[in-house]
């Protein structure tokens, strides 16, 4: 057993005392670098850097340089930017908030977003032009406005839906904006009554017909199945 070593508390062999580390078959004293402290453990490097310093190459502790607009992380080993600043390389760059915008917290620091009713255009916020009979929909993606009920978008405007006789308004995002009432079907740009043959009934949609049970469609009629 070399000097500055002790028998293991379990198993065979020996281990170096606190403050020493095994090098070949000897126990050498741990060299504690400047700005560090001994951990008094028999494992690891045997030392850790003081708060505000970080370990380099497992041989030294160097001061954490905090740039203007930054602060020392609670870990004491790195820094982060203050609110209103954004990390750019090794510096904290102040975020310039344009008119009609406000700060939010991003992944790498503060960023800005436009207020409601405005959209980002380069480095500024421009008012969103909402057409007559339209309203802001609050969407952060795609078109920021939608047409009021009873209107549909056409060439950047909100045009009134022209509902024909025997139809009603349909707010689906596709189609003509209207549907025929039950018992009527689309004909051209309007709705006409469904001419139903004998032994038929309206289907679930109410705008088409189908044959009763035990009948089948043939040339516009409902005939008995063979």
């Amino acid at each position: 057993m070399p000097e500055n070593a002790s028998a293991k508390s379990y198993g065979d062999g020996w281990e170096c005392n606190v403050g020493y580390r095994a090098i070949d078959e000897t126990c050498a004293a741990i060299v504690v670098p400047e700005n560090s402290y001994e951990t008094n453990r028999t494992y690891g490097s045997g030392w850790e850097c003081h708060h505000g310093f970080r370990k380099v190459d497992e041989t030294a502790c160097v001061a954490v340089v905090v740039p203007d607009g930054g602060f020392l992380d609670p870990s004491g080993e790195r820094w982060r930017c203050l609110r209103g600043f954004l990390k750019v390389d090794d510096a904290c760059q102040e975020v310039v908030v344009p008119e009609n915008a406000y700060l939010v917290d991003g992944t790498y620091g503060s960023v800005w977003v436009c207020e409601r009713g405005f959209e980002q255009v380069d480095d500024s916020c421009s008012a969103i032009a909402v057409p007559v009979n339209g309203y802001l929909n609050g969407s952060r993606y795609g078109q920021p406005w939608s047409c009021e009920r009873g209107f549909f978008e056409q060439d950047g405007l909100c045009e009134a839906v022209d509902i024909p006789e025997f139809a009603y308004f349909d707010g689906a995002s596709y189609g003509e904006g209207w549907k025929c009432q039950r018992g009527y079907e689309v004909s051209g740009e309007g709705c006409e009554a469904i001419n139903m043959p004998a032994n038929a009934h309206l289907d679930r949609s109410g705008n088409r017909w189908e044959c009763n049970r035990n009948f089948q469609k043939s040339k516009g009629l409902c005939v008995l199945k063979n």
Side-chain angles (χ1 to χ4, degrees):
M1 186 185 305
E3 189 177 358
N4 299 311
S6 304
K8 290 184 176 180
S9 56
Y10 55 89
D12 298 329
W14 53 270
E15 59 185 359
C16 294
N17 297 335
V18 172
Y20 295 84
R21 288 294 179 271
I23 298 179
D24 296 329
E25 295 298 321
T26 64
C27 288
I30 294 173
V31 178
V32 181
E34 189 178 1
N35 300 311
S36 69
Y37 60 92
E38 294 184 8
T39 60
N40 293 325
R41 300 189 185 101
T42 57
Y43 57 88
S45 62
W47 55 270
E48 294 290 343
C49 294
H50 287 307
H51 190 82
F53 293 82
R54 60 184 178 85
K55 191 176 291 187
V56 177
D57 299 330
E58 298 294 328
T59 59
C61 290
V62 298
V64 177
V65 179
V66 181
D68 292 340
F71 64 94
L72 188 64
D73 186 89
S75 68
E77 299 176 352
R78 51 187 172 270
W79 55 268
R80 291 189 289 170
C81 292
L82 294 168
R83 190 172 191 278
F85 291 82
L86 182 66
K87 187 178 187 299
V88 179
D89 298 327
D90 293 327
C92 288
Q93 180 177 304
E94 185 174 4
V95 177
V96 179
V97 182
E99 190 176 1
N100 301 311
Y102 59 93
L103 278 174
V104 296
D105 295 327
T107 304
Y108 301 102
S110 297
V111 294
W112 58 266
V113 296
C114 295
E115 294 176 351
R116 177 175 169 79
F118 294 82
E119 60 184 348
Q120 183 174 347
V121 179
D122 297 327
D123 293 327
S124 63
C125 292
S126 298
I128 297 172
V130 181
V132 178
N133 300 312
Y135 64 93
L136 288 171
N137 57 28
S139 174
R140 297 185 60 184
Y141 307 98
Q143 186 162 272
W145 56 267
S146 300
C147 292
E148 299 280 2
R149 178 177 172 81
F151 297 82
F152 67 98
E153 181 192 348
Q154 184 175 3
D155 299 328
L157 301 175
C158 289
E159 302 289 349
V161 177
D162 186 13
I163 303 176
E165 190 178 8
F166 307 118
Y168 62 92
F169 175 75
D170 175 35
S173 58
Y174 53 89
E176 299 294 331
W178 53 267
K179 285 186 176 180
C180 292
Q181 297 175 5
R182 181 176 176 81
Y184 292 82
E185 62 184 352
V186 176
S187 176
E189 296 182 356
C191 297
E192 66 176 17
I194 296 175
N195 185 18
M196 238 182 344
N199 301 308
H201 61 273
L202 292 174
D203 67 2
R204 181 174 299 181
S205 71
N207 303 123
R208 292 185 298 270
W209 60 267
E210 58 187 18
C211 294
N212 297 340
R213 284 193 295 270
N214 204 35
F215 288 85
Q216 62 186 9
K217 187 179 293 188
S218 176
K219 300 179 180 179
L221 301 175
C222 288
V223 298
L224 277 171
K225 291 182 179 178
N226 295 327

